[in-house]
Amino acid sequence: MSQTLPSGSLSGKTALVTGSSRGIGADTVRYFAEAGANVVINFRNKAPRAEKLAAQLRELGVEALVVGADLTDPASVLAMFDEVERTFGGLDVLVLNASGGMESGMAEDYALKLNRDAQVNVLESALPILREGSRVVFVTSHQAHFIRTTPTMPEYEPVALSKRAGEDALRERIPALEERGIGFTVVSGDMIEGTITATLLERANPGAIAARREDAGKLYNVAEFAAEVARAALDPVPADHTRLVGDTDSFGGE
């Protein structure tokens, strides 16, 4: 994985990425560490993987804090930010990457609870330690971002609707964030090759990834998309607070 942010561009800063023990979250947190940031790796149930990643990132000369938290449990979220404040004194980058809803055996409202309610609660719980000039990034998919105008696969629809609800709820907080000098950007990506979601969709709907790749011409892989997420934490906030990654020709307007 190549350097994506200017070396030293995040020196002295602290970045937390939810769901960062693997996949897009892990690559994003690695990019931040390579740019000099101290990082917080959040996981739900993959402690060994998170600790292994932290050990690798410490070799870059930064501090890496590993904090397990169930984002749907407000007490667990508060405890996570208490630990971040004790360790680093505050936070400069918050990436809301963790999401779900296609897991088997979860309650019917789990997708909405995680993808909307938990995202808002994580942001609000982080506010007391987010420094002026800090950045918040919400990670979503085109299939969710454009769900109101472009249907998606039935298997993904509950997740798409709940993620769009989360995006809308977070956008409502932009004026309050701006008052505090905090930038907010939504990063929306097309189907990403190699993610858990893409794998589950392919299992439910064989051929889905190949069909989407043919329509789009190219699909980003995990490392490429994570680079876009990382850049969103440094680049100027777009006027519409939206960074679209990958083909959008197949999607109607919002």
Side-chain angles (χ1 to χ4, degrees):
M1 201 163 75
S2 59
Q3 173 83 32
T4 184
L5 301 176
S7 182
S9 56
L10 288 175
S11 290
K13 305 287 189 185
T14 300
L16 184 154
V17 181
T18 62
S20 48
S21 67
R22 65 180 176 188
I24 293 163
D27 279 2
T28 302
V29 97
R30 187 185 298 277
Y31 287 132
F32 288 152
E34 287 176 349
N38 295 319
V39 294
V40 184
I41 300 165
N42 158 252
F43 70 95
R44 189 182 65 185
N45 53 18
K46 297 279 189 271
R49 191 179 293 176
E51 292 289 359
K52 182 179 178 184
L53 175 61
Q56 293 169 357
L57 301 188
R58 288 181 192 120
E59 291 177 7
L60 298 171
V62 302
E63 289 187 60
L65 175 67
V66 176
V67 189
D70 176 355
L71 301 187
T72 63
D73 175 3
S76 181
V77 170
L78 278 175
M80 173 173 72
F81 287 119
D82 283 347
E83 195 166 343
V84 173
E85 186 175 25
R86 274 197 306 275
T87 306
F88 298 115
L91 197 57
D92 303 283
V93 177
L94 172 63
V95 177
L96 300 167
N97 165 71
S99 66
M102 292 190 70
E103 302 89 339
S104 56
M106 293 297 190
E108 198 176 324
D109 66 344
Y110 178 70
L112 206 54
K113 200 173 169 186
L114 175 60
N115 297 330
R116 183 193 65 189
D117 302 347
Q119 305 301 318
V120 172
N121 180 61
V122 169
L123 174 58
E124 293 189 337
S125 301
L127 278 178
I129 66 167
L130 279 170
R131 300 183 176 106
E132 188 172 347
S134 60
R135 302 292 283 273
V136 177
V137 177
F138 176 67
V139 181
T140 189
S141 65
H142 290 352
Q143 288 76 13
H145 181 69
F146 294 105
I147 188 62
R148 290 200 291 256
T149 57
T150 309
T152 188
M153 287 168 274
E155 299 86 0
Y156 189 65
E157 189 176 47
V159 176
L161 289 168
S162 63
K163 282 190 71 66
R164 182 66 222 204
E167 179 181 336
D168 291 342
L170 290 166
R171 284 182 182 275
E172 287 174 11
R173 285 152 177 82
I174 289 174
L177 291 173
E178 287 180 334
E179 276 182 25
R180 301 177 63 140
I182 299 169
F184 176 83
T185 302
V186 171
V187 179
S188 176
D190 200 350
M191 198 180 285
I192 309 297
E193 301 216 47
T195 60
I196 301 296
T197 300
T199 302
L200 290 172
L201 281 172
E202 183 71 18
R203 196 175 297 159
N205 192 345
I209 294 174
R212 182 63 203 134
R213 189 188 304 115
E214 192 172 331
D215 282 348
K218 167 190 164 65
L219 293 181
Y220 280 63
N221 64 30
V222 169
E224 290 169 333
F225 182 63
E228 296 289 336
V229 174
R231 286 188 196 114
L234 266 185
D235 287 355
V237 175
D240 62 355
H241 299 272
T242 310
R243 186 184 186 106
L244 298 174
V245 181
D247 177 69
T248 58
D249 291 347
S250 309
F251 298 91
E254 285 184 61

